[in-house]
Amino acid sequence: MLTYTADEMMTVAAARSLLNGMTCFVGIGRPSEAANLARRTHAPDLVLIYESGTIGAKPGQVPLSIGDGILAETADSVVSVPEIFNYWLQPGRIDVGFLGAAQLDKFGNINTTVIGSSYAEPRVRLPGAGGAPEIAAACKEVVVIVRQSRRTFAERVDFVTSVGFGDGAGSRQRLGLTGGGPKLVITDLGTLRPDPETGELVLAGVYPGVSVPLVQEKTGWDLAVSPDLVEIPAPAETELTALRELLSPTPSAARQLAVPDGAGPAARRPVGEGVLS
Amino acid sequence: MLTYTADEMMTVAAARSLLNGMTCFVGIGRPSEAANLARRTHAPDLVLIYESGTIGAKPGQVPLSIGDGILAETADSVVSVPEIFNYWLQPGRIDVGFLGAAQLDKFGNINTTVIGSSYAEPRVRLPGAGGAPEIAAACKEVVVIVRQSRRTFAERVDFVTSVGFGDGAGSRQRLGLTGGGPKLVITDLGTLRPDPETGELVLAGVYPGVSVPLVQEKTGWDLAVSPDLVEIPAPAETELTALRELLSPTPSAARQLAVPDGAGPAARRPVGEGVLS
Amino acid sequence: MAEIVTLADAIAAAVRDGDTVAMEGFTHLIPHAAGHEVIRQGRRDLTLVRMTPDIIYDQLIGAGCARKLVFSWAGNPGVGSLHRFRDAVERSWPQPLELEEHSHAGMANRFAAGASGLPFAVLRGYRGTSLLANTTGVADIVCPFTGETLTAVSALRPDVAVIHAQVADTRGNIQYWGITGVQKEAVLASARSVVTVEEIVDSLEPRPGAVVLPSWTVDYVAHVPGGAHPSYALGYSTRDNDFYLGWDEISRDRDRFSAWLDEHVYGARPQVAAGAGIKGGAEC
Amino acid sequence: MAEIVTLADAIAAAVRDGDTVAMEGFTHLIPHAAGHEVIRQGRRDLTLVRMTPDIIYDQLIGAGCARKLVFSWAGNPGVGSLHRFRDAVERSWPQPLELEEHSHAGMANRFAAGASGLPFAVLRGYRGTSLLANTTGVADIVCPFTGETLTAVSALRPDVAVIHAQVADTRGNIQYWGITGVQKEAVLASARSVVTVEEIVDSLEPRPGAVVLPSWTVDYVAHVPGGAHPSYALGYSTRDNDFYLGWDEISRDRDRFSAWLDEHVYGARPQVAAGAGIKGGAEC
């Protein structure tokens, strides 16, 4: 029987959400890992776009930063940073935006700015917005990947860095956001999807061996369960092998990929925690 | 004694107005001819910028169009057309804008759009604005080169394509135009400069053998004469030789350079007309 | 993903009667062959958009394809007037031509706004000119920070962009270099796009100054060597200045123009590079 | 025309106490050596502008050079927090740090507006976010054509831009390639500029993807090989990821940070590439 970590399961589940031929605006950290895994397995024609201006990058390993040389060297095109946001992201021509989070709320809003009730005197100062607000606003759909805990999955985020469904269904339309918003949240326990009526995230899938009450216990709001709840298949051997190959050649990068983009030490946990089987 | 044409005198006088090290946004036709002559004679470090996006072009011959391959191949940098207008022209970082005209009025306003009182039913439809309105608005100063006649030098232009001093002194400030406006108008008879008080063009220089009454007779308004009127020296042998070399290798281009940019057949005269000495 | 098809199929699929069509190329890389195919296919009521309408638009206008022209400089570069354009504006032949006239800076920003998914762009422009009273899509806009009044121009969002490039790869990625103009903006601003290319290669090689349009931004690619003639494709051809000079004579006379069109456009086989039979010099 | 001078002279001439300074470089080509020179020269009260303040801004903040930070993502890329930045924000050490916080799209457009000589730029952004209530330079703007409400951001016009490039020629023309970021905009938006380069050559050769800044857009050029370390210059060096990882430990502790600064910045000779003594691995 294959053994794998919860992080590996999460990355594999995230990779599966990306279809071949899609264009994907990739955040750094786990989104980049998952997008590169997808390209190495079922989606060889996945187009990776990084906010550093690299369009169609084909890195052999997962880059540590969104500006590693390998991205420029393997890209179909490298454009300036103003251009990547204005001509490529903003008009809604990108299929999927792939983001991390330090805090996420029940309407899929993302916080990567400050933890605590005061912006001026934060408990934890996080790195901030980066490209995320406009990725979340403009892409046809958004996938979020984030480890699950009561603190991370809050009723309401302390600071809305990037809008999911705002105050609920209809918010995006009222705000004039052109993209579709979060379609899928992938955690180390399972997956959440927005209720199409309310915009509230509900539990849509669990990994093998994960119980619904466990997920609910690790969620800071009263998590509803989809009537169509599925058990997500464990990683296939091909998926695990590809993932481990992708990470192995750059130990320093791999060591750090456990830290999602935009997350401070609060989100840091050793890789390997949460082995499920 | 050297013989030369009025057109040659005009081009030489125009070239002299460009100082070494200046940056010059060059219109096609005679402005391009004069700017290239300046670069070949006293201003080897003149930076030629064309609206096609070529910055620092160093053509060996005068190009027929602003998009000839030689401009891109010899440029320091080639940028997109939106960029040349937004980043390079608009902020006022260009020293001199060098324009032609089909019609020019006493306040240095330029018409290259329609002749006749009705835009909808013009007597003559000219090519239109091109880059000229923003060149005239933004460059630190503007030089205009145009053959002189009562019809061309009108009291008021039929259509203001590019603003000189508008309705007179103060107009540019009221309109929020950031550049300095016309500094010099070079014709086949002499040169005009704006009166600093009124913005009205006055006769500032005449070529050898040209009388003030002749210039006034060829001007559609009551042309005042500067107290500092000068006689402009005839072309030096070095200037004439450089000009003729510049034009000689491309007979088809040379044949057509008599037609200023933006001018229809109305402005067309055979080269060689008006030999003065 | 771009489909690689014949020019005739590309135009048939992409360009429809009544469309707003931007055939772009700033002197360099003008899609003449594609324009001829539009004429051959008899498209009508087009709104033609282009910063520098030149010979190919003169031909489209003279052939009766255009209802409206959106532009900033309509001339024969370095030569003078476009006579078919003038005939349409001054004498409504072969039909009236509605004009929407701008400056280059305005048009470039309108394309950039379209490519950016914005309804307008801001620039310093048009102020004090007679253009303001005679065009649409231009308005004052006040800076919310300084109170300064600037100019807004409305976005261009053509139905179709048509451009010519040096190279495509077999997957439909497009590469062009030299004077790159406003073609990227035109393609990204338009709902559909057609690209004719000098050459199709297995894979693109990086080149100085090259723009690459990924395959997924383009709909149809057609292999049309010489498809820019009498404009040029840097590295493949030079500008046929004699043709531009000769066009002045051909286009002055309605009958002579029509005869030229019969022989060199209607009479040409679609996929053949339209420039082939009309090299400058002798015929002009 | 750019003057070619020493790094110390360039910084002394261009950067003054109280200036607004944009040291740009999007992960690639970050002007670390120039930043160290600013620290060495003891500049104070700077408003530091940068889309992605990372290690070099962490150092400038920790060294007490900065009064204010204008930014969109302040982190150690791929690693986590900037501890000197956090210490300044959370505990005002060594002094309080005023923040003006934006998104990347906002900052990129603010630089572009500055480069364009416009007081603001328009984008789709910020709407619905908490940034709106906690920053300045952002306002609603209504499209005069469609009535749609969009977002305006105020232009950035720094006093000085500082960038690192691969090559300059002896006349001071600048060339850089790879990930080119927002450096062109930063230089064109700023009143003054300093460029450090890996190499000075007789004449630039055209390169794929290269940006060229003509000499007349730049004030000071200094030859500082390795001047981007631990960032990199494509074709000259690779990103020293171990240094980025190691910085996490160095920067967590005030004393350890100060000792590092003493040894590697204050103790280093000005014109020596500041990266030389601090290669990753062992020391981190």
Side-chain angles (χ1 to χ4, degrees), chain C residues 41-222:
Chain C
Q41 293 194 11
R43 292 283 81 78
R44 287 295 175 270
D45 274 336
L46 301 179
T47 293
L48 293 177
V49 181
R50 185 176 158 83
M51 293 183 64
T52 54
D54 59 358
I55 291 182
I56 187 60
Y57 271 32
D58 212 32
Q59 293 168 356
L60 283 152
I61 291 165
C65 302
R67 184 185 70 73
K68 181 177 176 181
L69 181 68
V70 181
F71 75 109
S72 40
W73 194 85
N76 184 342
V79 179
S81 287
L82 291 179
H83 300 291
R84 295 299 93 225
F85 160 72
R86 287 186 57 184
D87 207 10
V89 174
E90 296 171 11
R91 290 173 294 276
S92 297
W93 190 92
Q95 63 195 43
L97 183 68
E98 187 185 339
L99 298 185
E100 183 183 317
E101 184 162 3
H102 291 267
S103 69
H104 276 354
M107 284 291 284
N109 276 290
R110 300 182 74 195
F111 273 122
S116 301
L118 293 174
F120 71 104
V122 178
L123 76 161
R124 295 182 186 279
Y126 295 82
R127 304 202 72 190
T129 74
S130 306
L131 284 166
L132 280 172
N134 292 287
T135 193
T136 59
V138 184
D140 282 354
I141 193 156
V142 175
C143 174
F145 309 106
T146 64
E148 188 181 359
T149 301
L150 297 119
T151 300
V153 287
S154 63
L156 287 170
R157 298 186 176 283
D159 297 304
V160 201
V162 181
I163 69 169
H164 185 73
Q166 280 103 334
V167 185
D169 69 16
T170 50
R171 299 168 63 88
N173 297 299
I174 304 296
Q175 187 188 42
Y176 56 96
W177 61 90
I179 289 171
T180 54
V182 74
Q183 289 99 299
K184 178 188 275 190
E185 289 78 11
V187 167
L188 295 181
S190 297
R192 300 185 293 281
S193 58
V194 173
V195 184
T196 58
V197 295
E198 293 289 330
E199 200 177 350
I200 297 182
V201 300
D202 285 339
S203 70
L204 303 178
E205 61 179 273
R207 280 176 184 278
V211 170
V212 172
L213 288 172
S215 177
W216 54 275
T217 63
V218 171
D219 294 298
Y220 304 101
V221 175

Side-chain angles (χ1 to χ4, degrees), chain B residues 28 51-52 54 64-73 78-82 85-86 90 113 119-120 122-131 133-134 158-163 174-178 252-253 255-257 259 261-265 268, chain C residues 26-28 51 71-81 83 85-86 89-90 99-106 108-109 112 122-131 134 148-149 178-182 185 232 234-235 239 241-242 244-245 248 252:
Chain B
I28 200 58
E51 64 194 18
S52 54
T54 55
L64 178 62
S65 81
I66 45 123
D68 279 24
I70 190 71
L71 297 177
E73 287 170 321
V78 181
V79 302
S80 75
V81 165
F85 285 103
N86 289 349
Q90 182 168 265
T113 303
Y119 173 78
R123 200 161 73 243
V124 180
R125 173 66 230 197
L126 301 165
E134 284 80 19
D158 294 341
F159 188 103
V160 180
T161 311
S162 304
V163 179
R174 281 194 297 280
L175 291 166
L177 305 183
T178 50
S252 64
R255 172 155 54 101
Q256 291 297 330
L257 279 162
V259 184
D261 190 33
R268 200 174 280 222
Chain C
F26 205 86
T27 306
H28 181 216
M51 293 183 64
F71 75 109
S72 40
W73 194 85
N76 184 342
V79 179
S81 287
H83 300 291
F85 160 72
R86 287 186 57 184
V89 174
E90 296 171 11
L99 298 185
E100 183 183 317
E101 184 162 3
H102 291 267
S103 69
H104 276 354
N109 276 290
V122 178
L123 76 161
R124 295 182 186 279
Y126 295 82
R127 304 202 72 190
T129 74
S130 306
L131 284 166
N134 292 287
E148 188 181 359
T149 301
I179 289 171
T180 54
V182 74
E185 289 78 11
Y232 70 107
L234 192 67
R239 194 168 188 270
N241 284 341
D242 286 334
Y244 281 87
L245 295 169
D248 192 67
R252 272 175 194 275

Side-chain angles (χ1 to χ4, degrees), chain D:
Chain D
M1 291 289 289
E3 275 185 75
I4 299 179
V5 297
T6 66
L7 176 57
D9 286 349
I11 296 300
V15 184
R16 300 158 199 168
D17 285 355
D19 272 356
T20 297
V21 185
M23 304 187 193
E24 269 296 349
F26 205 86
T27 307
H28 181 216
L29 293 174
I30 299 171
H32 274 264
H36 289 171
E37 184 59 28
V38 171
I39 295 174
R40 263 192 301 276
Q41 295 195 10
R43 293 283 81 76
R44 286 295 176 270
D45 274 336
L46 301 179
T47 292
L48 293 178
V49 181
R50 184 175 159 83
M51 292 183 64
T52 53
D54 58 359
I55 291 182
I56 186 62
Y57 271 32
D58 212 31
Q59 294 168 357
L60 283 152
I61 291 165
C65 302
R67 185 185 69 72
K68 181 176 174 181
L69 181 67
V70 181
F71 75 109
S72 40
W73 193 86
N76 184 340
V79 179
S81 287
L82 290 179
H83 299 292
R84 294 298 94 226
F85 160 72
R86 287 187 57 184
D87 207 11
V89 174
E90 296 170 11
R91 289 172 294 277
S92 298
W93 191 91
Q95 62 195 45
L97 182 68
E98 186 184 341
L99 298 185
E100 182 183 316
E101 184 163 2
H102 291 267
S103 69
H104 275 356
M107 285 290 284
N109 276 290
R110 299 181 75 194
F111 274 122
S116 301
L118 293 175
F120 71 106
V122 179
L123 75 159
R124 296 182 185 279
Y126 295 81
R127 305 203 69 194
T129 73
S130 307
L131 285 165
L132 280 172
N134 292 288
T135 192
T136 57
V138 184
D140 281 356
I141 193 156
V142 175
C143 174
F145 309 106
T146 65
E148 189 182 358
T149 300
L150 296 118
T151 300
V153 286
S154 63
L156 288 170
R157 299 186 177 281
D159 297 304
V160 200
V162 181
I163 69 169
H164 185 74
Q166 280 104 335
V167 184
D169 68 17
T170 49
R171 298 169 65 86
N173 297 298
I174 304 296
Q175 186 186 42
Y176 56 95
W177 61 90
I179 289 170
T180 53
V182 74
Q183 287 99 299
K184 179 188 277 190
E185 289 77 11
V187 168
L188 295 181
S190 296
R192 300 184 293 280
S193 57
V194 173
V195 184
T196 57
V197 295
E198 293 289 331
E199 200 177 351
I200 296 182
V201 300
D202 285 338
S203 70
L204 303 178
E205 62 179 273
R207 283 177 183 275
V211 170
V212 172
L213 289 172
S215 177
W216 52 275
T217 63
V218 171
D219 295 297
Y220 303 102
V221 176
H223 182 212
V224 188
H229 181 271
S231 173
Y232 70 107
L234 192 68
Y236 290 81
S237 57
T238 55
R239 193 169 188 271
D240 187 352
N241 284 340
D242 286 335
F243 187 96
Y244 281 87
L245 295 168
W247 183 253
D248 192 68
E249 292 306 315
I250 294 170
S251 62
R252 271 175 194 274
D253 182 79
R254 292 177 185 172
D255 291 341
R256 191 159 171 207
F257 163 75
S258 297
W260 183 90
L261 210 60
D262 282 343
E263 182 176 355
H264 296 292
V265 180
Y266 294 120
R269 282 190 306 130
Q271 184 65 326
V272 169
I278 52 168
K279 276 250 175 265
E283 290 202 43
C284 309

Side-chain angles (χ1 to χ4, degrees), chain A residues 31-56:
Chain A
S32 179
E33 194 181 325
N36 277 287
L37 177 60
R39 210 176 55 77
R40 287 287 200 91
T41 53
H42 64 281
D45 292 329
L46 184 69
V47 178
L48 305 188
I49 302 167
Y50 289 85
E51 64 195 18
S52 55
T54 55
I55 300 171

